[in-house]
Coordinates of all heavy atoms in Angstrom, one line a residue:
P55 N -15.1 9.7 -15.2 CA -15.6 8.6 -16.2 C -17.1 8.4 -15.9 O -17.9 8.2 -16.9 CB -14.8 7.4 -15.9 CG -13.5 7.9 -15.4 CD -13.8 9.1 -14.6
F56 N -17.6 8.5 -14.7 CA -19.0 8.3 -14.4 C -19.8 9.3 -15.1 O -21.0 9.1 -15.5 CB -19.2 8.4 -12.8 CG -19.4 7.0 -12.2 CD1 -18.3 6.3 -11.9 CD2 -20.6 6.4 -12.0 CE1 -18.4 5.0 -11.3 CE2 -20.8 5.2 -11.5 CZ -19.6 4.5 -11.1
S57 N -19.4 10.6 -15.2 CA -20.2 11.6 -15.7 C -20.1 11.8 -17.3 O -21.0 12.4 -17.8 CB -19.7 13.0 -15.0 OG -18.4 13.2 -15.4
V58 N -19.1 11.2 -17.8 CA -18.8 11.6 -19.3 C -18.8 10.4 -20.2 O -19.0 10.5 -21.4 CB -17.5 12.3 -19.4 CG1 -16.3 11.4 -19.4 CG2 -17.4 13.2 -20.6
S59 N -18.6 9.1 -19.7 CA -18.4 8.0 -20.6 C -19.7 7.7 -21.4 O -19.6 7.6 -22.7 CB -18.1 6.7 -19.8 OG -16.9 6.8 -19.2
I60 N -20.8 7.6 -20.8 CA -22.1 7.3 -21.6 C -22.5 8.5 -22.4 O -22.8 8.4 -23.6 CB -23.2 6.9 -20.6 CG1 -22.8 5.6 -20.0 CG2 -24.6 6.8 -21.4 CD1 -23.9 5.0 -19.0
P61 N -22.5 9.8 -21.9 CA -22.8 10.9 -22.8 C -21.8 11.0 -24.1 O -22.3 11.3 -25.1 CB -22.5 12.2 -22.0 CG -22.8 11.6 -20.6 CD -22.3 10.2 -20.5
T62 N -20.6 10.5 -23.9 CA -19.7 10.6 -25.0 C -20.0 9.5 -26.0 O -20.0 9.7 -27.3 CB -18.2 10.3 -24.5 OG1 -17.9 11.4 -23.6 CG2 -17.3 10.3 -25.8
S63 N -20.4 8.3 -25.6 CA -20.9 7.3 -26.5 C -22.1 7.7 -27.3 O -22.3 7.4 -28.5 CB -21.2 6.0 -25.8 OG -22.3 6.0 -24.9
I64 N -23.0 8.5 -26.6 CA -24.2 9.0 -27.3 C -23.8 10.1 -28.4 O -24.3 10.0 -29.5 CB -25.1 9.6 -26.2 CG1 -25.7 8.5 -25.3 CG2 -26.3 10.3 -27.0 CD1 -26.5 9.0 -24.2
L65 N -22.9 10.9 -28.0 CA -22.4 11.9 -28.9 C -21.7 11.3 -30.1 O -21.9 11.7 -31.3 CB -21.4 12.9 -28.2 CG -20.9 14.0 -29.1 CD1 -22.0 15.0 -29.5 CD2 -19.8 14.8 -28.3
M66 N -21.0 10.2 -29.9 CA -20.3 9.5 -31.0 C -21.3 8.9 -32.0 O -21.2 9.0 -33.2 CB -19.5 8.4 -30.5 CG -18.2 8.9 -29.8 SD -17.4 7.5 -28.8 CE -17.0 6.3 -30.0
A67 N -22.4 8.4 -31.4 CA -23.5 7.8 -32.3 C -24.2 8.9 -33.1 O -24.6 8.6 -34.3 CB -24.5 7.0 -31.4
K68 N -24.3 10.1 -32.6 CA -25.1 11.2 -33.3 C -24.2 12.0 -34.2 O -24.7 12.4 -35.3 CB -25.7 12.1 -32.2 CG -26.8 11.3 -31.5 CD -27.6 12.4 -30.5 CE -28.7 11.7 -29.8 NZ -29.4 12.7 -28.8
R69 N -23.0 12.3 -33.8 CA -22.1 13.2 -34.5 C -20.9 12.6 -35.1 O -20.2 13.3 -35.9 CB -21.8 14.4 -33.6 CG -23.0 15.3 -33.2 CD -23.7 15.8 -34.3 NE -22.9 16.7 -35.0 CZ -22.7 18.1 -34.7 NH1 -23.3 18.6 -33.6 NH2 -22.0 18.8 -35.4
G70 N -20.6 11.4 -34.7 CA -19.4 10.7 -35.3 C -18.1 10.8 -34.4 O -18.0 11.6 -33.4
Y71 N -17.1 10.1 -34.8 CA -15.9 10.0 -34.0 C -15.1 11.4 -34.0 O -14.6 11.8 -33.0 CB -14.9 9.0 -34.6 CG -15.3 7.6 -34.2 CD1 -16.0 6.8 -35.1 CD2 -15.0 7.0 -32.9 CE1 -16.4 5.4 -34.7 CE2 -15.4 5.7 -32.6 CZ -16.1 5.0 -33.5 OH -16.4 3.7 -33.1
K72 N -15.0 11.9 -35.1 CA -14.1 13.2 -35.3 C -14.6 14.3 -34.5 O -13.9 15.0 -33.8 CB -13.9 13.5 -36.7 CG -12.8 14.5 -37.0 CD -12.6 14.7 -38.5 CE -11.4 15.6 -38.8 NZ -11.1 15.7 -40.2
F73 N -15.9 14.6 -34.5 CA -16.5 15.7 -33.8 C -16.4 15.4 -32.3 O -16.0 16.3 -31.5 CB -18.0 15.8 -34.1 CG -18.7 16.9 -33.4 CD1 -18.7 18.2 -33.9 CD2 -19.4 16.7 -32.2 CE1 -19.3 19.2 -33.2 CE2 -20.0 17.6 -31.5 CZ -20.0 18.9 -32.1
S74 N -16.6 14.1 -31.9 CA -16.6 13.7 -30.4 C -15.1 13.8 -29.9 O -14.9 14.3 -28.8 CB -17.0 12.3 -30.3 OG -18.4 12.1 -30.7
L75 N -14.1 13.5 -30.8 CA -12.8 13.7 -30.4 C -12.4 15.1 -30.2 O -11.7 15.5 -29.3 CB -11.8 13.1 -31.4 CG -10.4 13.1 -31.2 CD1 -10.1 12.2 -29.9 CD2 -9.6 12.6 -32.4
G76 N -13.0 16.0 -31.1 CA -12.8 17.4 -31.0 C -13.3 17.9 -29.7 O -12.7 18.8 -29.0
G77 N -14.5 17.5 -29.3 CA -15.1 17.9 -28.1 C -14.3 17.5 -26.8 O -14.1 18.2 -25.9

Side-chain angles (χ1 to χ4, degrees):
F56 259 85
S57 63
V58 79
S59 293
I60 294 176
T62 300
S63 69
I64 294 173
L65 183 64
M66 288 165 62
K68 291 183 176 180
R69 299 296 301 272
Y71 283 98
K72 194 170 185 178
F73 181 88
S74 302
L75 183 63

